[in-house]
């Protein structure tokens, strides 16, 4: 993102974040995986963090397979403490 303004960076991050949640909700796990790095860590579900793209995608598949009617609603996005 070199050469972009902070506002442009925020918009890029916001679009990627919203698209990743939309991909999960649509069960498009390949698209979701394109938004996360190979060394990602998910602290959201379970008692232990989940490490790596494959493990995070498998966790999401498991959650959304068990709860097929789950919907994701993004109410706020905060970057460095500022809501956008």
């Amino acid at each position: 993102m070199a050469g972009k303004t902070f506002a442009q960076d925020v918009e890029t991050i916001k679009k990627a974040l919203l698209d990743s949640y939309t991909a999960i909700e649509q069960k498009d796990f390949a698209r979701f995986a394109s938004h996360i790095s190979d060394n990602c860590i998910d602290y959201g579900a379970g008692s232990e963090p989940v490490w790596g793209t494959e493990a995070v995608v498998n966790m999401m598949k498991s959650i959304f397979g068990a709860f097929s009617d789950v919907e994701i609603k993004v109410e706020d996005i905060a970057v460095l403490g500022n809501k956008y």
Side-chain angles (χ1 to χ4, degrees), residues 25-43:
E25 193 172 49
Q26 294 173 349
K27 296 180 177 62
D28 185 347
F29 296 106
R31 191 167 98 223
F32 168 67
S34 74
H35 289 289
I36 57 177
S37 67
D38 292 337
N39 62 348
C40 67
I41 304 170
D42 187 300
Y43 294 96

Side-chain angles (χ1 to χ4, degrees), residues 2-4 7 9-11 18-19 24 31-32 43 48-50 58 60 65 69-70 74 77-78 81 84:
K4 291 186 176 185
D9 287 347
V10 168
E11 282 304 309
L18 292 172
D19 188 59
I24 293 169
R31 191 167 98 223
F32 168 67
Y43 294 96
E48 296 293 324
V50 177
N58 287 337
M60 292 298 182
D69 60 345
V70 169
V74 177
I77 296 175
Y84 296 92

